[in-house]
Amino acid sequence: NAGVTQTPKFQVLKTGQSMTLQCAQDMNHEYMSWYRQDPGMGLRLIHYSVGAGITDQGEVPNGYNVSRSTTEDFPLRLLSAAPSQTSVYFCASSYLDSTNSPLHFGNGTRLTVT
Amino acid sequence: AQSVTQLDSQVPVFEEAPVELRCNYSSSVSVYLFWYVQYPNQGLQLLLKYLSGSTLVKGINGFEAEFNKSQTSFHLRKPSVHISDTAEYFCAVWSGSSNTGKLIFGQGTTLQVKP
């Protein structure tokens, strides 16, 4: 089982560039989410989804877009990158009752915006 | 909205000593609480969770946590730590319904175990 796969592992962008962080899971999880991790701030929720075609905003959604066209994939799009988006990004998934089903995390994407 | 506060950003401790990592949560009628661990350059994995029932929850790797409703706390403890426990630990609370809510994390506590 691959679990939660994030690509790329590392990325450097210039201000204003766009890119998509990929997240795929092979566990048939309905629930998927994106977090960013910054020193001293823990993990902050960007967007989440409870199934294909359904997405919702988290704590820090500005500057990010998501869509969920399939159960397996949940890409995160940066339309115009800013230095404030330099961070480590984690994708996580679980079965729909997330209180009983632990979140499975990917290994992260380290993004630097110059 | 639900939230958690981790009271210590770093906790240094010697090997084989006991440790407590502190977490307070915002008061609510019902609350689901979690502790996750992140080893260097990895994603997070679940240590333990409190949903209901016994206030003392046991997790993996010898960790346990106690849910204290009157003090709105969910502190993580281990009676004797190992070097391999060096990691960042996150307290988290579930906000919303079990099927449509979201997991909100605290700021994290870095546990540094010294030989």
Side-chain angles (χ1 to χ4, degrees):
Chain A
N1 253 350
V4 179
T5 303
Q6 291 184 237
T7 55
K9 288 186 169 54
F10 301 94
Q11 182 71 49
V12 179
L13 290 178
K14 293 188 187 318
T15 298
Q17 286 185 316
S18 63
M19 80 159 294
T20 299
L21 279 64
Q22 301 292 345
C23 175
Q25 52 90 10
D26 61 357
M27 297 171 281
N28 205 29
H29 286 164
E30 303 96 342
Y31 186 93
M32 296 186 75
S33 53
W34 276 103
Y35 291 86
R36 59 176 290 173
Q37 182 177 20
D38 302 290
M41 305 194 74
L43 279 81
R44 291 179 293 169
L45 182 65
I46 305 171
H47 286 286
Y48 64 105
S49 167
V50 298
I54 306 169
T55 63
D56 207 346
Q57 295 182 349
E59 304 166 274
V60 289
N62 292 342
Y64 307 95
N65 283 348
V66 292
S67 60
R68 184 97 179 267
S69 55
T70 66
T71 300
E72 295 78 18
D73 300 298
F74 191 44
L76 179 71
R77 297 184 187 86
L78 284 70
L79 297 180
S80 178
S84 60
Q85 293 179 305
T86 293
S87 187
V88 181
Y89 292 84
F90 287 98
C91 179
S93 71
S94 73
Y95 292 112
L96 200 53
D97 184 358
S98 301
T99 58
N100 275 311
S101 165
L103 279 179
H104 294 256
F105 281 81
N107 285 332
T109 294
R110 188 174 295 272
L111 175 67
T112 302
V113 183
T114 61
Chain B
Q2 299 268 30
S3 65
V4 289
T5 301
Q6 292 182 243
L7 302 172
D8 306 293
S9 59
Q10 293 190 350
V11 174
V13 64
F14 286 105
E15 194 174 17
E16 297 184 7
V19 71
E20 178 180 83
L21 306 183
R22 298 181 296 165
C23 173
N24 286 354
Y25 65 92
S26 58
S27 181
S28 180
V29 175
S30 63
V31 62
Y32 304 130
L33 293 160
F34 305 79
W35 276 98
Y36 278 78
V37 60
Q38 182 183 32
Y39 298 106
N41 299 315
Q42 294 185 24
L44 281 70
Q45 56 183 280
L46 181 68
L47 268 180
L48 49 80
K49 62 184 177 183
Y50 171 80
L51 303 182
S52 65
S54 172
T55 57
L56 185 63
V57 181
K58 293 191 185 297
I60 61 172
N61 301 339
F63 283 93
E64 62 182 33
E66 185 162 16
F67 173 69
N68 188 318
K69 190 172 181 179
S70 62
Q71 298 190 2
T72 61
S73 68
F74 189 56
H75 300 335
L76 181 70
R77 301 186 182 102
K78 186 169 183 178
S80 176
V81 295
H82 303 290
I83 294 288
S84 59
D85 293 323
T86 294
E88 190 156 18
Y89 293 78
F90 292 94
C91 183
V93 63
W94 188 258
S95 180
S97 72
S98 61
N99 285 353
T100 60
K102 49 199 174 187
L103 193 61
I104 304 299
F105 287 89
Q107 301 89 331
T109 298
T110 301
L111 176 63
Q112 300 166 319
V113 181
K114 304 176 183 180

